[in-house]
């Protein structure tokens, strides 16, 4: 008889008495240490077993059986974008394609990612609309599908290309106003389309009692660095946005369109970057994955498969990386068909698995391994912040040994790998509020700071100093803020000294 492992378990389960079944299942549990015995045979099942979803971008004319078989999540590739469904006054129209996709997902027990509410591109009738009209659209779209949409991309691609770390200079971001001219949009008096859209979306979700989580999504934000080790300023800017608006943002999508553009390569610090966002308490998704098969001069086959393996592993190794979505089923049906970046060849419902498919399945089947993040989630949050997910692993950083009185104290937590690390430094005000802070620490010899976020750094080796930026200098009594830096070398035994101003 030719039966799958799952079918075999079912046959055993119905035929044998309970005592025998216990013995059999413990034998299965022992066997499951070896990958072959426990291996799932679809991406969907293997991912579910590892505690994440594996999804696909989909269109109504391509809802072949493979969609529900291989994938546990679906993102409408184009059918939920404003140019399809928005009227100029923020109403809905032409929702047929989107409805078909949501219904298909529901009947196949798949999660849906709504894509996307606020975007400079494919804006259709909403192009040039005011924030009030965007808010109307946000309300209508979220309310139409409610909790049937597990995740909504509220804001898509807000940041400029070419690693500048700036917001786009296009509608809707041209509506932003930097009241005090300090270069950000985070202060009271500033106007920020990102903030205002998320506030509106959160209100709608809460008023409707929906379970929908709200995401920000972008590309070229995957690594801590880009080609040549240059800091990824776009990723740092996204990090600052999530950190500042954490009470409204539940999830972050790294699109993960990997190719040989210097800002779009796969870097060794991908996992560390996923980890630092996860440490903010948000879920991280690799939301639109495709990998150019000529990346790093690797040709079709093993090179691309290995790259897929690396990317999937980086997600699996971070507990709050809760989903991976590929941007289409097969190369020929992809928006970037010339890069052959997906997991299948073929088309029109008849697909063949590539080496990359087998690599992804194999990696998913290995599971998460020993995922014990070494950096704690950010727990200091305004009162409106939703509770931190109870599945978040507890912090491993020891509290300061001497409790702060006045002034400030600082603790460091590390996420290290061979040859490098990310340090997250938590600054806590004492019994009185502070309006600024400086943290000084001495790095081991041979260790160098390469990248800093949410602080101004002075010095890169030996004794280095970090001081607050404009938006995180003021800390209320007993409250905390965080900054981070990345370095080469090792960083064990750092003793930060905090001075308040
Ligand atoms: O895959 C989508 C393609 O069919 C559309 O023509 C294109 C139009 O902009 O959008 C593609 O999807 C994009 C996604 O919505 C946002 N991230 C980048 C994706 C590829 O451009």
């Amino acid at each position: 008889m030719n039966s799958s492992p799952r079918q075999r378990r079912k046959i055993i389960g119905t035929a044998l008495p309970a005592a025998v079944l216990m013995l059999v299942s413990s034998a299965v549990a022992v066997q499951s240490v070896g990958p072959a015995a426990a291996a799932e045979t679809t991406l969907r099942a293997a991912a579910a077993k590892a505690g994440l979803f594996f999804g696909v971008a989909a269109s109504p004319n391509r809802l072949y059986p493979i969609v529900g078989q291989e994938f546990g999540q679906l993102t409408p590739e184009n059918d939920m974008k404003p140019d399809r469904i928005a009227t100029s006054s923020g109403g809905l129209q032409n929702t047929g394609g989107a409805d078909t996709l949501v219904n298909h997902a529901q009947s196949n027990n798949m999660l849906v990612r709504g894509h996307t509410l606020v975007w400079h591109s494919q804006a259709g009738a909403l192009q040039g609309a005011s924030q009030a009209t965007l808010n109307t659209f946000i309300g209508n779209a979220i309310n139409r599908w409610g909790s049937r949409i597990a995740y909504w991309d509220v804001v898509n691609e807000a940041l400029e290309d070419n690693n500048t770390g700036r917001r786009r200079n296009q509608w809707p971001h041209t509506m932003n106003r930097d009241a005090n001219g300090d270069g950000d949009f985070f202060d009271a008096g500033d106007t920020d389309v990102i903030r205002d859209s998320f506030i509106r979306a959160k209100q709608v979700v809460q008023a409707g009692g929906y379970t929908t989580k709200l995401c920000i999504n972008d590309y070229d934000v995957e690594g801590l660095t880009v080609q040549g080790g240059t800091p990824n300023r776009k990723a740092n800017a996204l990090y600052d946005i999530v950190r500042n608006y954490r009470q409204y943002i539940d999830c972050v999508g790294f699109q993960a369109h990997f190719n040989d553009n210097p800002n779009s390569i796969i870097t060794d610090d991908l996992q560390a970057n996923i980890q630092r966002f996860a440490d903010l308490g948000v879920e991280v998704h690799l939301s639109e994955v495709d990998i150019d098969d000529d990346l790093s001069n690797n040709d079709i086959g093993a090179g691309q498969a290995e790259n897929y393996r690396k990317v999937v592993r980086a997600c699996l190794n971070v507990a709050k990386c809760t989903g991976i979505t590929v941007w289409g089923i097969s190369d020929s049906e992809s928006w970037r068909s010339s890069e052959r970046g997906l997991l299948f060849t073929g088309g029109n419902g008849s697909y063949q698995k590539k080496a990359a498919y087998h690599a992804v399945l194999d990696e998913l089947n290995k599971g998460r391994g020993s995922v014990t993040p070494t950096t704690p989630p950010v727990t200091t949050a305004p009162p409106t912040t939703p509770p931190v997910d109870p599945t978040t692993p507890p912090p491993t950083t020891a509290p300061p040994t001497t409790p702060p009185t006045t002034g400030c104290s600082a603790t460091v937590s590390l996420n290290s790998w061979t040859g490098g690390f990310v340090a997250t430094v938590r600054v806590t005000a004492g019994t009185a509020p502070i309006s600024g802070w400086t943290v000084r620490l001495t790095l081991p010899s041979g260790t160098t700071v390469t990248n800093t976020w949410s602080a101004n750094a002075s010095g890169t080796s030996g004794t280095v100093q970090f001081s607050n930026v404009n938006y995180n200098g003021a800390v209320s009594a007993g409250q905390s803020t965080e900054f981070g830096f990345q370095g080469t070398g090792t960083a064990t035994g750092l003793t930060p000294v905090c001075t308040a101003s």
Side-chain angles (χ1 to χ4, degrees), residues 82-88 91-96 125:
D83 68 348
R84 289 289 167 91
I85 63 166
T87 69
S88 58
L92 298 182
Q93 60 178 353
N94 304 328
T95 53

Side-chain angles (χ1 to χ4, degrees), residues 77-78 81 115 119 122 156-157 255 257 288 327 335:
E77 183 168 358
N78 287 300
K81 292 175 176 172
H115 177 79
W119 191 20
Q122 289 187 275
N156 192 40
E157 302 178 359
Q255 290 186 5
H257 294 293
E288 304 185 9
W327 205 242
W335 70 290

Side-chain angles (χ1 to χ4, degrees), residues 285-450:
H285 303 141
L286 305 181
S287 57
E288 304 185 9
V289 181
D290 43 34
I291 305 182
D292 185 343
D293 75 1
D294 201 20
L295 187 62
S296 307
N297 297 319
N298 289 321
D299 236 329
I300 299 175
Q304 184 185 48
E306 285 313 303
N307 286 326
Y308 258 104
R309 200 181 272 282
K310 201 166 156 182
V311 168
V312 169
R313 176 49 49 199
C315 178
L316 284 168
N317 282 353
V318 179
K320 282 189 84 80
C321 188
T322 52
I324 300 175
T325 306
V326 282
W327 205 242
I329 304 168
S330 77
D331 290 344
S332 67
E333 294 170 352
S334 159
W335 70 290
R336 297 195 328 185
S337 54
S338 65
E339 294 185 357
R340 293 158 299 189
L342 294 172
L343 302 179
F344 294 86
T345 55
N348 295 318
S350 169
Y351 299 103
Q352 296 81 46
K353 296 168 180 172
K354 293 168 58 180
Y357 171 94
H358 295 291
V360 170
L361 182 62
D362 183 49
E363 209 57 42
L364 290 171
N365 268 316
K366 289 182 195 164
R368 289 195 182 264
S370 53
V371 170
T372 45
T374 54
T375 41
V378 171
T379 49
T380 305
T384 49
T385 304
V388 174
D389 183 338
T391 60
T392 304
T396 55
T397 308
T401 43
T402 42
T405 50
T406 55
C408 57
S409 61
T411 53
V412 182
S413 51
L414 290 177
N415 182 13
S416 301
W417 59 93
T418 309
F421 64 91
V422 166
T424 304
V425 183
R426 184 172 181 140
V427 174
T428 305
T431 50
I434 58 175
S435 55
W437 46 262
T438 300
V439 171
R440 190 174 308 114
L441 45 81
T442 302
L443 300 167
S445 98
T447 295
T448 307
V449 175
T450 54

Side-chain angles (χ1 to χ4, degrees), residues 181-264:
D182 66 352
D184 70 44
F185 304 97
F186 299 131
D187 307 301
D190 288 357
T191 306
D192 186 355
V193 167
I194 298 176
R195 178 196 60 198
D196 294 346
S197 300
F198 269 97
I199 288 175
R200 170 65 178 155
K202 198 58 151 185
Q203 280 168 348
V204 177
V205 165
Q206 284 174 348
Y210 307 134
T211 52
T212 313
K213 294 181 179 171
L214 303 175
C215 308
I216 187 163
N217 194 49
D218 217 321
Y219 59 89
D220 290 356
V221 295
E222 292 76 15
L224 284 170
T225 54
V226 297
Q227 197 166 60
T230 307
N232 189 343
R233 295 182 201 93
K234 190 165 172 177
N236 290 350
L238 183 67
Y239 181 86
D240 280 346
I241 289 166
V242 176
R243 196 183 154 283
N244 276 278
Y245 302 148
R246 171 66 189 95
Q247 66 263 49
Y248 317 116
I249 300 180
D250 306 309
C251 37
V252 176
F254 292 2
Q255 290 186 5
H257 294 293
F258 290 113
N259 55 61
D260 50 16
N261 176 305
N263 301 318
S264 313

Side-chain angles (χ1 to χ4, degrees), residues 141-154:
I142 292 178
N143 280 324
R144 177 169 184 87
W145 294 286
S147 299
R148 300 170 79 198
I149 296 205
Y151 300 97
W152 255 115
D153 281 331
V154 177

